[in-house]
Amino acid sequence: MRIRNIAVFSAAIFAGAVCGSLIGPRPVEAVAREIIDLQRDVTSLLQGQKDLSNQMTQDHTVIKTIVGGFNDSIGRLSGNMGSLQKSVQDMQANSGTRLDTMSTQVQGLSDNLEEIKSRLGKLNQQLVDLQNAVPAPSADTLYSNGLRDIQSGKYELARAEFQDYLKYYGKTDLASNAQFYIGEIAYRQKNYQQAIAEYDKVLNNYPRAIKVPPALLHRGMALVELGQKSSGIRDLREVVRRFPGSEEDRYARAKLKELGVAISASR
């Protein structure tokens, strides 16, 4: 649970970085508040990296997700830093005074940010070394974790777990299921074009798999969502033709009725 809390922390830092961007010159008090906020974010990020280092031997998939979040957060913080430095320079030019104390604070934050970048680089290397040294999680662990996370809405984590399953256990009976669920994640996120590409892999690479009917059904529904109605209807009719009496058949018939088209193509 601790490492999943770190993931939540990383997302919070990322959101804070996005909200903290600076544009144009600001009053001294406003920039001072921005400095304080940015110092807090830098301190939290440093603590998060320390916590993450202590968890390096645990869940690799979660760690990869968190490290990616740290990279995003640092990129945003870097952008904030540049805007903050420009605000100080603009105030100096406009007021004719030197804000030595504030400039020193900004420089200190820049140094802290560089230290974070250096630590993150080392952390990424540790992750690579750890993954090379420790065997992959078992097939059962990866698959069950993926199912658990997709059911609880942790789609990015589930995607990574199913991708790892295909990477390490791509020849097993459940590989087609893992591929299908990658498509499902894209579909649930309304990324229909990506979902179609993932369902295509199920249909082309595992033509006899148990997930072929739902892959064909959901590909048809994704095509309809993209406005490719004729192609989507063709898939839905194919489901009815090939899998009569199945649950997918029932859903395909309902969708065709909703679209106002005949179940079978006219001859």
Side-chain angles (χ1 to χ4, degrees), residues 19-182:
C19 295
S21 58
L22 304 172
I23 301 176
R26 303 287 185 85
V28 173
E29 294 82 0
V31 175
R33 286 196 298 271
E34 297 288 356
I35 289 176
I36 293 171
D37 290 342
L38 198 54
Q39 284 175 323
R40 183 191 64 239
D41 287 346
V42 168
T43 301
S44 298
L45 193 56
L46 283 169
Q47 182 60 46
Q49 285 185 289
K50 180 180 178 182
D51 292 341
L52 180 58
S53 296
N54 294 334
Q55 299 290 329
M56 286 295 290
T57 59
Q58 295 188 20
D59 189 335
H60 297 167
T61 305
V62 178
I63 291 173
K64 287 192 292 186
T65 303
I66 297 171
V67 170
F70 278 147
N71 280 318
D72 290 341
S73 298
I74 285 179
R76 296 292 181 176
L77 287 173
S78 295
N80 285 1
M81 183 63 64
S83 298
L84 186 59
Q85 289 171 322
K86 186 177 185 305
S87 293
V88 172
Q89 292 169 357
D90 289 344
M91 283 191 299
Q92 289 175 336
N94 293 336
S95 66
T97 60
R98 290 191 56 81
L99 306 176
D100 293 332
T101 300
M102 191 172 294
S103 296
T104 299
Q105 287 178 295
V106 172
Q107 184 58 51
L109 286 172
S110 294
D111 294 342
N112 281 344
L113 195 58
E114 289 304 315
E115 180 183 359
I116 293 174
K117 290 179 181 179
S118 175
R119 291 189 184 187
L120 188 62
K122 294 177 181 178
L123 193 60
N124 280 325
Q125 186 57 52
Q126 284 181 304
L127 178 60
V128 171
D129 293 342
L130 182 64
Q131 289 175 323
N132 291 336
V134 180
S138 71
D140 288 344
T141 297
L142 276 176
Y143 190 80
S144 61
N145 286 352
L147 285 180
R148 178 198 62 214
D149 290 326
I150 193 174
Q151 290 167 357
S152 60
K154 298 174 183 176
Y155 294 136
E156 296 307 318
L157 184 54
R159 189 202 322 273
E161 286 159 341
F162 286 126
Q163 287 173 337
D164 280 348
Y165 187 94
L166 291 174
K167 177 181 177 180
Y168 296 115
Y169 308 106
K171 302 298 183 181
T172 63
D173 292 340
L174 290 177
S176 58
N177 289 28
Q179 180 60 61
F180 170 77
Y181 286 124
I182 292 173

Side-chain angles (χ1 to χ4, degrees), residues 186-201:
Y187 187 91
R188 294 183 187 186
Q189 294 178 321
K190 301 186 185 302
N191 186 353
Y192 298 117
Q193 197 65 57
Q194 182 62 38
I196 291 168
E198 302 298 346
Y199 292 139
D200 282 344
K201 293 177 184 177

